[in-house]
Amino acid sequence: MSSLDLINVVKRFGELTVIDGVDLDITEGEFVVFVGPSGCGKSTLLRMIAGLEEISSGELRIAGNRMNETPPAKRNIAMVFQSYALYPHMNVERNLGFALETARLPAAEIRERVTKAARFLQIDHLLDRRPAQLSGGQQQRVAIGRALVRQQKLFLFDEPLSNLDADLRMEMRVEIARIHREMKATTVYVTHDQMEAMTLADRIVVLKEGRIAQAGTPMELYERPANRFVASFIGSPRMNFLPGTLTQDGEESVLTLFGTPHRLPAHDYAGEVTVGIRPEDLILGGGEVTLTADVLLVEPLGGEALVHLNVEDGRSIVVKVQGKPDIRPGATTSVGWNHTRANLFDKDERALSRKGA
Amino acid sequence: MVHSTTGRRLQRIAIYGLFAVIALYTLFPFYWMIASSLKSGQAIFDVTFLPDLKFNNYKVILSDGVFLRSLLNSFIVATSVVALSLGLAVTAAYALGRIDFAGRSPIMFLFLAVSMFPQIALLSGLFEMIRWLGLYNSLGSLVFAYMIFTLPFNIWVLTTFMRSLPRQIEEAAIMDGCSPLRILRCIFLPMMGPALISTGLLAFIASWNEFLFALTFILTDENRTVPVAIGLISGSSRYEFPYGAIMAASTIVTVPLILLALLLQKYIVSGLTAGAVKG
Ligand SMILES: Nc1ncnc2c1ncn2[C@@H]1O[C@H](COP(=O)(O)OP(=O)(O)O)[C@@H](O)[C@H]1O
Ligand SMILES: [Mg+2]
């Protein structure tokens, strides 16, 4: 296990700044997930940790030691690539043992470690095969195994599951969680899938355009997103957003939505705001703040259903309800929410906090 | 479905017909060469399509010291060209395919341009260089000259191939602690096997068959290579032209190439298409 510190880390490709001052402390044994839309710099940041990209400025420390100039192989890092990157001309056994072979470990020890990792990942019956003779899920296991045998203190994963189909992805997610539980190695995991991030992470780091939009536990990000970007990125289906204005009225604030004022607990802010409410926090026919809406579409998902509504102004919102709602497209209904479940964002898209909160 | 089965049968007949025409067109000269080499004396001037199965011509040619010497010379030249041009091309391809530096594309373009010059255009310039290097009338002159056209082609093909190898595999090897040399040796070279075999074979064939340079840069019989040696085979009098012996020599020269190509055909195809198809 190793701690990992990023101190004001910057990456430039020529004129283009891809990572723009990232500060992050990762503690020993922590499972940190970098998440964000495609092109936000997740892979670049991970590759800088690995040593595959140079750090333009700032400092990288592993276990407290500066690593900027240390070559990748000397950083005690194991990495799993998105494309698995197995050596196509070697069988599984040799793929697993290649790093140890390179490090000139005795053959007996290589054999022992390879066997152990293969058994742990349930690929011990595949040791003689070439990568081309394996399914995607098996290749993924070999790729993970190759990282495991090195017994490193720090694991990096770059979108390891994105080439798998949905079922396998779920299975491997559970597998990766199990590996982390048993190995307790510090892990940095990159994905663009917020669901993977929510289920795996001790801490999620949301990246946007090379900066940290927010870092926190999955529940912190879900419950108290720091800005509209994080609010819309975390959670599925996406949070609903409605435009409004906030004014002060003595000890209270007044939120005006589509011309109708609603009384709220006091906020320190007045002006244009965006109200964000998660689909699962909306209540059909109830709530402290209510709007009237037309039903557009009902999508039953079995145990729950998504109801698409058209509120005033032609804006559509999505409500998640338990069971099958007794409601039909074309009907008019009311939809609402309770104050504590609403997120307010100022015109710079930062989350507003309640007075005294 | 009577209509569609007859349609398909016609289609198949057409395909086989076309195949037969192409086979005849490409294979007939070879057949004629072998058939002629097996006739003896004046029989060669009769137009018969069945060979006599007389091996006189082979006896004559295989007891000709100059011809045997030229076979050995050709073999030495061709294998040296293959070894040298592959060795240089692999290292150049690693640099051109994997390392970013300014002027990479102009260099690649230059290689392509160089490999397009007709041989005759290079002849006098090369001749000067070879004289200046003191290689005139030695096998070294041919190795030197053949590299001029095998090397750019090999570099070009191997660079394209190297670029098509997934970068993440190289990075995985870096993370596994490999030095650049170990990556080249243990990862890239085995993965490039098919490309090496096909470019190597093409270089071998080109050197084996080359005539113009071999005629120009070699003066004496003991340094001749096979194509020129065959061209200079002459009869016992100026009125006799030894077609039979020439055909037998040509057959002997062609056989190693055909064997080599058959032996390696599996790799040749995958090597030449690998740059185009992602695997
Ligand atoms: N070698 C490079 N040269 C120039 N730009 C690059 C290079 N690598 C990545 N980028 C740019 O950096 C940005 C972030 O890339 P990346 O880290 O791969 O994003 P992500 O993994 O989050 O999808 C992208 O805009 C990409 O085009
Ligand atoms: Mg990426």
Side-chain angles (χ1 to χ4, degrees):
Chain A
M1 283 169 283
S2 264
S3 66
L4 180 78
D5 303 316
L6 297 170
I7 302 155
N8 196 19
V9 162
V10 173
K11 177 68 191 179
R12 287 183 218 97
F13 289 110
E15 298 284 282
L16 184 71
T17 303
V18 170
I19 297 295
D20 194 6
V22 165
D23 279 296
L24 187 68
D25 290 351
I26 297 173
T27 54
E28 281 186 26
E30 202 176 7
F31 196 120
V32 170
V33 176
F34 293 168
V35 71
S38 180
C40 68
K42 309 178 292 288
S43 298
T44 305
L45 193 54
L46 195 74
R47 292 162 55 79
M48 288 161 83
I49 296 173
L52 296 171
E53 297 286 358
E54 258 174 56
I55 297 171
S56 305
S57 74
E59 193 167 275
L60 166 71
R61 290 190 195 148
I62 294 176
N65 303 313
R66 178 182 166 97
M67 284 286 147
N68 292 39
E69 292 78 20
T70 309
K74 300 240 165 71
R75 294 187 185 190
N76 295 327
I77 288 175
M79 182 160 175
V80 177
F81 293 85
Q82 179 172 1
S83 63
Y84 317 141
L86 301 177
Y87 308 125
H89 56 291
M90 300 181 189
N91 65 14
V92 169
E93 182 170 11
R94 188 123 192 267
N95 260 287
L96 290 173
F98 187 68
L100 307 181
E101 204 182 291
T102 307
R104 296 177 195 283
L105 259 62
E109 181 168 2
I110 296 179
R111 204 173 181 81
E112 188 193 311
R113 284 214 221 167
V114 166
T115 316
K116 197 170 144 213
R119 204 171 301 142
F120 183 78
L121 290 163
Q122 292 143 29
I123 47 173
D124 37 350
H125 58 298
L126 304 173
L127 288 177
D128 294 330
R129 300 222 198 143
R130 294 279 180 98
Q133 300 165 313
L134 302 177
S135 70
Q138 291 168 334
Q139 290 185 19
Q140 179 61 76
R141 281 171 189 269
V142 177
I144 292 173
R146 198 167 59 175
L148 282 185
V149 294
R150 297 182 52 209
Q151 305 180 344
Q152 298 294 20
K153 306 197 159 56
L154 186 57
F155 268 41
L156 307 180
F157 291 88
D158 191 355
E159 310 222 15
L161 307 186
S162 58
N163 292 344
L164 300 177
D165 59 37
D167 275 355
L168 263 177
R169 203 176 303 169
M170 173 97 100
E171 185 189 316
M172 288 309 298
R173 208 165 66 202
V174 173
E175 191 75 19
I176 288 172
R178 176 176 77 107
I179 291 166
H180 181 250
R181 211 168 46 239
E182 298 194 12
M183 303 283 158
K184 298 183 178 64
T186 312
T187 304
V188 183
Y189 185 103
V190 163
T191 179
H192 64 269
D193 179 350
Q194 59 93 23
M195 173 91 143
E196 249 169 73
M198 293 294 281
T199 51
L200 284 172
D202 292 326
R203 192 147 56 110
I204 295 178
V205 176
V206 183
L207 290 173
K208 183 195 181 193
E209 291 162 12
R211 295 210 183 101
I212 295 182
Q214 190 177 2
T217 65
M219 281 326 277
E220 275 167 15
L221 266 59
Y222 180 81
E223 295 283 348
R224 290 188 298 281
N227 48 56
R228 185 174 160 175
F229 178 80
V230 174
S232 71
F233 197 82
I234 300 287
S236 173
R238 258 157 52 94
M239 186 184 273
N240 298 292
F241 295 101
L242 296 169
T245 43
L246 198 63
T247 46
Q248 300 295 345
D249 183 14
E251 280 303 290
E252 284 181 321
S253 290
V254 175
L255 171 67
T256 309
L257 281 174
F258 307 116
T260 312
H262 305 274
R263 304 211 145 260
L264 296 188
H267 287 75
D268 267 337
Y269 178 84
E272 281 177 24
V273 292
T274 303
V275 188
I277 316 103
R278 298 198 180 276
E280 49 273 35
D281 291 331
L282 285 170
I283 307 160
L284 285 178
E288 292 167 3
V289 177
T290 59
L291 303 169
T292 53
D294 299 327
V295 180
L296 285 176
L297 177 70
V298 180
E299 288 182 292
L301 302 174
E304 55 203 21
L306 299 180
V307 181
H308 296 252
L309 301 172
N310 206 347
V311 294
E312 275 152 279
D313 231 14
R315 269 165 202 280
S316 71
I317 60 174
V318 178
V319 184
K320 192 192 243 179
V321 294
Q322 293 303 313
K324 182 165 174 11
D326 183 20
I327 197 169
R328 229 161 256 162
T332 302
T333 182
S334 89
V335 62
W337 60 88
N338 294 333
H339 294 311
T340 54
R341 305 310 304 167
N343 298 276
L344 290 181
F345 302 99
D346 66 17
K347 65 179 195 320
D348 298 324
E349 306 198 337
R350 279 185 308 238
L352 294 178
S353 56
R354 219 164 289 147
K355 210 170 211 170
Chain B
M1 286 306 215
V2 181
H3 180 77
S4 75
T5 44
T6 45
R8 211 177 301 158
R9 196 169 298 159
L10 274 178
Q11 198 180 9
R12 198 172 298 167
I13 289 169
I15 288 172
Y16 281 119
L18 189 65
F19 179 71
V21 170
I22 293 174
L24 192 70
Y25 171 58
T26 52
L27 293 180
F28 181 75
F30 285 102
Y31 173 75
W32 194 246
M33 172 181 83
I34 294 168
S36 305
S37 73
L38 293 170
K39 294 173 183 172
S40 66
Q42 287 299 312
I44 205 160
F45 297 107
D46 305 334
V47 182
T48 53
F49 288 90
L50 288 176
D52 293 346
L53 290 182
K54 301 248 168 63
F55 290 91
N56 299 12
N57 294 322
Y58 288 90
K59 278 189 203 119
V60 170
I61 204 72
L62 287 175
S63 58
D64 179 345
V66 174
F67 177 73
L68 291 179
R69 179 68 207 238
S70 71
L71 261 181
L72 180 68
N73 287 343
S74 271
F75 185 77
I76 292 170
V77 169
T79 44
S80 311
V81 168
V82 168
L84 279 172
S85 61
L86 282 188
L88 290 172
V90 163
T91 36
Y94 187 47
L96 289 164
R98 277 303 194 221
I99 299 167
D100 275 310
F101 58 89
R104 197 167 62 165
S105 343
I107 290 178
M108 287 297 288
F109 189 75
L110 197 71
F111 283 140
L112 193 65
V114 163
S115 63
M116 283 173 180
F117 284 122
Q119 275 185 32
I120 193 87
L122 303 173
L123 201 59
S124 63
L126 258 180
F127 191 78
E128 286 305 315
M129 278 170 85
I130 280 165
R131 283 247 303 251
W132 181 63
L133 290 170
L135 290 174
Y136 182 64
N137 193 29
S138 75
L139 294 181
S141 70
L142 297 184
V143 174
F144 181 78
Y146 297 167
M147 300 255 296
I148 297 265
F149 54 91
T150 58
L151 202 49
F153 177 77
N154 284 3
I155 290 177
W156 186 268
V157 171
L158 294 182
T159 302
T160 315
F161 194 87
M162 186 86 85
R163 277 191 193 157
S164 76
L165 298 178
R167 180 139 235 159
Q168 290 195 342
I169 288 188
E170 183 183 1
E171 290 176 343
I174 293 174
M175 297 306 294
D176 276 350
C178 293
S179 63
L181 211 64
R182 186 168 161 85
I183 293 175
L184 191 61
R185 200 163 46 87
C186 296
I187 310 291
F188 281 156
L189 274 185
M191 288 175 75
M192 288 172 75
L196 293 176
I197 287 173
S198 49
T199 50
L201 187 68
L202 290 176
F204 189 91
I205 292 174
S207 318
W208 186 262
N209 287 336
E210 205 280 334
F211 184 81
L212 183 63
F213 291 165
L215 180 68
T216 314
F217 301 147
I218 300 295
L219 191 63
T220 52
D221 270 352
E222 76 272 13
N223 288 331
R224 294 244 186 264
T225 53
V226 134
V228 180
I230 292 176
L232 297 180
I233 290 175
S234 54
S236 45
S237 77
R238 60 186 307 187
Y239 301 108
E240 183 200 336
F241 196 71
Y243 277 115
I246 289 176
M247 288 303 167
S250 304
T251 305
I252 290 171
V253 168
T254 317
V255 166
L257 293 188
I258 292 176
L259 285 183
L260 217 56
L262 285 179
L263 207 67
L264 303 175
Q265 62 170 342
K266 181 175 105 191
Y267 302 100
I268 295 169
V269 176
S270 57
L272 290 180
T273 53
V277 185
K278 234 187 134 209

